[in-house]
Amino acid sequence: MNTKWAEELFSCLMIGLGAMMASFSVICILIPNDAIDYGTAGISIIINKLTGFNLSLCVGVIFLPFLIAGTLVLGRRFGFKALLGTAVYTIGLALFEKIPFELNTEHFLAVVFGGAILGAGLALILKNGGCIDGSEIFANIIVKKASEKLGKDFSLTYILIVFNACVYTAVFLLINRNAALLSLLVYVIATSIINHFTDHFEAIKQVTIITKEPEDIVLAIREELNKTCTIVDSYGAISGENKTLICYVNYFEMQKMKDILSAHDGTFSTVSTIDEILR
């Protein structure tokens, strides 16, 4: 087994582990303590509470259109990992529903603990190129289409905040205010954990590439990511004259960027998080 296949296998195992952690947190900690997950999983839990429909089935049905859209926009590799994560997550939900374990303690403590486990699981999934939440795919598609139309780079943050604000408003109106407040606490804790391990996945990423042969890389970025680059003349103390390419992408486009760079030997690249771009 070569190194690339070993890395892919490891990333799939980490996605599976993260999905199991997330499903354990939701079934065994959050729901018994009147809190819910966020994003499309939160919508599924609301439907489950109001109708009694099977939770794992609701998660799969609601996520399916987002999965299809994400595969079309972000590629088959992303689609496979998203499908893997969602399959393990839904299986985990069904499995833990049958296990007689619930963390019944003071709600605040349980929600803090459950939110931390959920955030750690989701961070593992995102860090390895997967996704089990349709809100992130939805935000990515909106940002991608807006960037293509307006020629600007946008953060996912505000779209995710609005999406989840709608979810928690529904919890407040349809379930009760305590559940809405506890669920909001889950969101704050989980996203804090995710941002710590993924370096603010919802923010714009600046990729700086140093290479002697920029033409093929620029062409690949344009064709596969529909992005452009800034090209700057540079000089290395040992390597001599180079070209420095600067490109802006979002977190879900990073895997394609890594694939492009791995196909071109002799490149050196760094990634940094950009809080804001001024025009």
Side-chain angles (χ1 to χ4, degrees), residues 3-13 77 81 255:
T3 303
K4 188 173 181 60
W5 276 104
E7 290 176 353
E8 285 297 308
L9 178 60
F10 180 77
S11 71
C12 289
L13 290 174
R77 187 176 183 181
K81 290 189 173 182
Q255 188 59 58

Side-chain angles (χ1 to χ4, degrees), residues 191-234:
T191 52
S192 297
I193 297 292
I194 293 169
N195 286 336
H196 176 75
F197 287 104
T198 63
D199 190 22
H200 296 273
F201 83 94
E202 79 281 3
I204 299 167
K205 304 296 179 181
Q206 176 181 300
V207 183
T208 303
I209 308 160
I210 300 175
T211 179
K212 286 186 174 294
E213 299 178 356
E215 293 80 9
D216 290 342
I217 297 176
V218 172
L219 180 61
I221 290 173
R222 185 176 300 160
E223 290 180 347
E224 297 186 35
L225 290 171
N226 196 28
K227 300 281 185 178
T228 187
C229 295
T230 298
I231 305 177
V232 181
D233 291 328
S234 56

Side-chain angles (χ1 to χ4, degrees), residues 82-101:
L83 177 61
L84 171 64
T86 305
V88 175
Y89 180 65
T90 54
I91 291 171
L93 292 175
L95 177 65
F96 289 121
E97 281 181 323
K98 298 178 181 179
I99 295 177
F101 173 86

